[in-house]
Amino acid sequence: MKKIISIFLFITFLFIITSCKKMDKPTQSNPVTITIWHTYVENMRDVFDDMIDDFNHTVGAENGITVKVTSITDAKIVNEHLIAAVNHDPGAAELPDMAVVYPNVAITLAEKDALIDFEQYFSKAELGGFVSQFLDEGRLGGEQLYLIPIAKSAEVLYVNRTLFDRFSSEMDVELESLATFEGIAEAAVKYYEWTDNKTQDIQNDGKMFFYPEGLFNQAMVGFKQLGGDIVRDEELDLSNPIFEKIWNAYYNPAVKGGIPIVDGWGNYLAATGDIVCATASSAGSTFYPARITYSDNTKEEVIFDVLPYPIFEGGKKVVFQRGGGICVLKSEPIKEYASYIFLKWFIEAERNLQFTSKIGYMPVQKSSFDDIIEKKFPMIENKIVEKALLTVANMQKDYSFYFPPVFDGFDSLQNQYVDGLKHTAQDSRDNYLQLIRLQDKKLAFDIVSKDTMTNYIKKFNP
């Protein structure tokens, strides 16, 4: 009897194990549908949807996996809906199996134990193929891997060569001078004065030259380039001597007219010829025009170049990386495994390059960058996108990619910094324009800038 019971228990155990294994992995006879929320719009949405269709008809069909998009909206709304669903708020939507998110949201979901750790699924060899800094961001400052990168972007310098070459030929300003922020600041002031002098009958109507789209990004990266950190213990460390270089690169040319003190995107200013160059995301290359329209409604064909992100003199080559990743929400083992199969397929080097090259983003596999440099990627009709892709591929060889810390209050710090800096620069600019009616420009600048940086720092470091 004991022998029969033992055999029975053993058979039962095997049945349970077999059933679990069957349920843990989808097959054609045991299919599963997994859902995803994403934030891709316009061209990016079409490309992403095409990738999902391709998966569903190939690897997905072979393995009994169907990926279904159940929400497409902007990042802010996705974030709100995810947090509401995790908190089980009344009326909240059902959680998806996967979602495209940024680290600041992923860390909230991780703290609520809502995300899987990809280390459970991806092997060391598979993870070793990623650009390490892209992968590190997905660890959210810890050991667990909560975000898998699928597309990244870096910041670059867009230059309207048509306008710059006219300026360069008359003012002897070389393109190489734009490799540093100090060189850009100097060129910005010269450009304003050069354009102002073209209308002798109208004073102070010079044109602006440079727009730093990510003003706080420039500060964070600038500190890193120069060997420091702008954020220490979740506070801004503006008393660090490094900050003076960051300040001068923006404040001085902004007050003197070379940098627009506005909010918004650099490509809008570029499209009207109101600036010559801008630092912005490489993913924004699709929005830079081949033709600009001036304020008098005249149009001109132009050529944009895409140059590596500038550095501060004496600094190391560091650039800000952008782009979120995909997280997998905890659910059933079979759905988690199916999500892994989809992501493993999606980030395979050649396939990932096909996706990213069409939308102006960087691939996430190290081997893909060599393919870009050798121009082994799908044909790109937009030449600015192609230039951006080649530029970031070359940057990947000798730049370090920086990503910001993640903590509650980070966005507030960023807003305080940017709003305060622009407000200060605008006040100084207004006073400067009043003073130069009566006195020398150098003296006017000395007056408006006296103690301005010190007073600004005191707002953060009393």
Side-chain angles (χ1 to χ4, degrees), residues 4 9 62 129 229 299 387:
I4 292 173
L9 290 175
E62 293 168 7
D229 286 292
K299 304 181 189 305
K387 289 177 181 179

Side-chain angles (χ1 to χ4, degrees), residues 31 57 73 103 114 150 156 179 209 217 224 240 310 437:
H57 287 95
T73 186
I150 61 169
V156 294
F209 181 79
N217 292 354
K224 273 295 179 184
N240 189 313
R437 295 177 179 178

Side-chain angles (χ1 to χ4, degrees), residues 276-305:
V276 176
C277 57
T279 47
S281 168
S282 58
S285 56
T286 56
F287 300 105
Y288 277 79
R291 174 188 291 185
I292 60 177
T293 303
Y294 296 104
S295 57
D296 61 1
N297 208 34
T298 58
K299 304 181 189 305
E300 181 178 21
E301 301 290 331
V302 296
I303 296 174
F304 272 91
D305 275 356

Side-chain angles (χ1 to χ4, degrees), residues 389-401:
L389 193 61
L390 289 166
T391 296
V392 294
N394 281 288
M395 286 169 60
Q396 194 268 338
K397 294 187 296 184
D398 52 5
Y399 273 72
S400 295
F401 291 101

Side-chain angles (χ1 to χ4, degrees), residues 117-389:
D117 177 4
F118 285 110
E119 296 274 6
Q120 302 173 38
Y121 293 94
F122 285 89
S123 68
K124 288 185 178 180
E126 289 169 339
L127 295 178
F130 286 87
V131 175
S132 61
Q133 289 155 319
F134 295 170
L135 206 61
D136 290 344
E137 186 175 23
R139 298 188 186 280
L140 309 179
E143 297 295 323
Q144 286 75 29
L145 180 60
Y146 293 116
L147 276 179
I148 283 291
I150 61 169
K152 286 289 184 179
S153 64
E155 295 196 337
V156 294
L157 180 69
Y158 295 96
V159 182
N160 182 327
R161 285 299 301 272
T162 305
L163 296 183
F164 179 82
D165 288 348
R166 291 173 190 158
F167 167 58
S168 174
S169 63
E170 290 192 30
M171 297 297 290
D172 195 29
V173 176
E174 300 297 328
L175 188 67
E176 290 73 19
S177 66
L178 306 186
T180 67
F181 282 108
E182 289 87 351
I184 291 174
E186 184 178 347
V189 176
K190 287 183 178 179
Y191 184 77
Y192 180 85
E193 293 174 348
W194 177 67
T195 52
D196 184 32
N197 289 334
K198 288 186 175 297
T199 53
Q200 294 291 334
D201 56 327
I202 305 175
Q203 297 298 310
N204 301 317
D205 68 333
K207 299 290 186 181
M208 297 167 289
F209 181 79
F210 169 62
Y211 182 64
E213 190 173 281
L215 197 52
F216 192 56
N217 292 354
Q218 178 180 315
M220 288 189 291
V221 169
F223 264 73
K224 273 295 179 184
Q225 290 179 350
L226 297 168
D229 286 292
I230 192 172
V231 179
R232 291 171 58 89
D233 300 324
E234 301 185 3
E235 296 291 342
L236 295 185
D237 182 23
L238 303 187
S239 59
N240 189 313
I242 290 174
F243 180 61
E244 185 172 2
K245 285 193 171 187
I246 312 297
W247 171 273
N248 289 340
Y250 175 77
Y251 175 85
N252 293 2
V255 173
K256 295 176 182 179
I259 291 179
I261 308 170
V262 296
D263 298 324
W265 307 105
N267 59 283
Y268 289 132
L269 296 168
T272 54
D274 286 325
I275 58 169
V276 176
C277 57
T279 47
S281 168
S282 58
S285 56
T286 56
F287 300 105
Y288 277 79
R291 174 188 291 185
I292 60 177
T293 303
Y294 296 104
S295 57
D296 61 1
N297 208 34
T298 58
K299 304 181 189 305
E300 181 178 21
E301 301 290 331
V302 296
I303 296 174
F304 272 91
D305 275 356
V306 184
L307 305 183
Y309 190 76
I311 61 172
F312 283 89
E313 290 179 357
K316 297 178 180 179
K317 291 183 176 181
V318 181
V319 65
F320 194 88
Q321 70 177 49
R322 295 190 184 191
I326 290 184
C327 65
V328 173
L329 285 298
K330 286 184 176 180
S331 56
E332 306 167 40
I334 188 172
K335 289 192 171 186
E336 294 175 5
Y337 182 81
S339 299
Y340 155 69
I341 293 296
F342 169 70
L343 291 173
K344 179 181 177 181
W345 174 87
F346 199 97
I347 54 84
E348 186 273 329
E350 183 177 350
R351 185 172 296 106
N352 187 238
L353 180 54
Q354 289 176 350
F355 170 65
T356 55
S357 63
K358 292 177 182 177
I359 61 175
Y361 276 74
M362 292 187 291
V364 297
Q365 299 285 337
K366 289 180 287 190
S367 61
S368 297
F369 286 91
D370 293 331
D371 290 339
I372 294 173
I373 293 170
E374 295 172 12
K375 296 193 174 182
K376 296 179 181 178
F377 51 83
M379 186 185 74
I380 300 174
E381 294 182 2
N382 188 321
K383 292 305 175 185
I384 303 177
V385 173
E386 183 173 325
K387 289 177 181 179
L389 193 61

